[in-house]
Amino acid sequence: MEKAVTYSVVGRKNPGDKGAPMKYYAQAQASGELDFEELCEAITSRSTCTETDVRAAISGILYEVKRALKAGRIARLGDLGSLQIGLNSEGAASVKEFSGSMIKGAH
């Protein structure tokens, strides 16, 4: 069951070059959500596991992935992809001028 990804085209300016012309990029569009309840029910209906077993396994995965990310590790989840902590910060003119207070957030 292969489905094409739905997308829209959005214009973006280069923040590093104010005079540069706008370029247009694809942006994926969601068609809905799959919540924890629906996920557990769907897996239960496709396996011999009970819903309690499925919930326990998924909860265990979430716990261990969060633990790995907090420890600075990359969580590789097979075909699903990989998760890694990223940071947003202000720029500095040199390494010596950078300080931790310039970090604005994590994602």
Side-chain angles (χ1 to χ4, degrees), residues 28-49:
Q29 297 296 312
S31 62
E33 293 183 3
L34 174 68
D35 65 16
F36 188 75
E37 300 293 325
E38 188 180 355
L39 177 63
C40 290
E41 288 173 12
I43 293 170
T44 299
S45 71
R46 295 179 50 124
S47 71
T48 59
C49 298

Side-chain angles (χ1 to χ4, degrees), residues 5-96:
V5 174
T6 304
Y7 67 93
S8 62
V9 178
V10 296
R12 294 198 176 107
K13 290 191 173 207
N14 181 345
D17 183 0
K18 302 288 186 200
M22 186 177 294
K23 289 191 177 181
Y24 294 85
Y25 301 89
Q27 180 171 306
Q29 297 296 312
S31 62
E33 293 183 3
L34 174 68
D35 65 16
F36 188 75
E37 300 293 325
E38 188 180 355
L39 177 63
C40 290
E41 288 173 12
I43 293 170
T44 299
S45 71
R46 295 179 50 124
S47 71
T48 59
C49 298
T50 66
E51 189 167 338
T52 303
D53 293 337
V54 171
R55 286 175 175 279
I58 294 174
S59 292
I61 292 167
L62 295 175
Y63 177 84
E64 291 302 327
V65 166
K66 287 178 187 177
R67 212 167 70 102
L69 293 174
K70 285 180 183 177
R73 299 173 67 197
I74 298 171
R76 301 215 186 269
L77 304 173
D79 292 341
L80 185 61
S82 301
L83 299 172
Q84 179 178 5
I85 295 292
L87 298 174
N88 296 325
S89 73
E90 295 176 9
S94 69
V95 172
K96 289 184 178 187

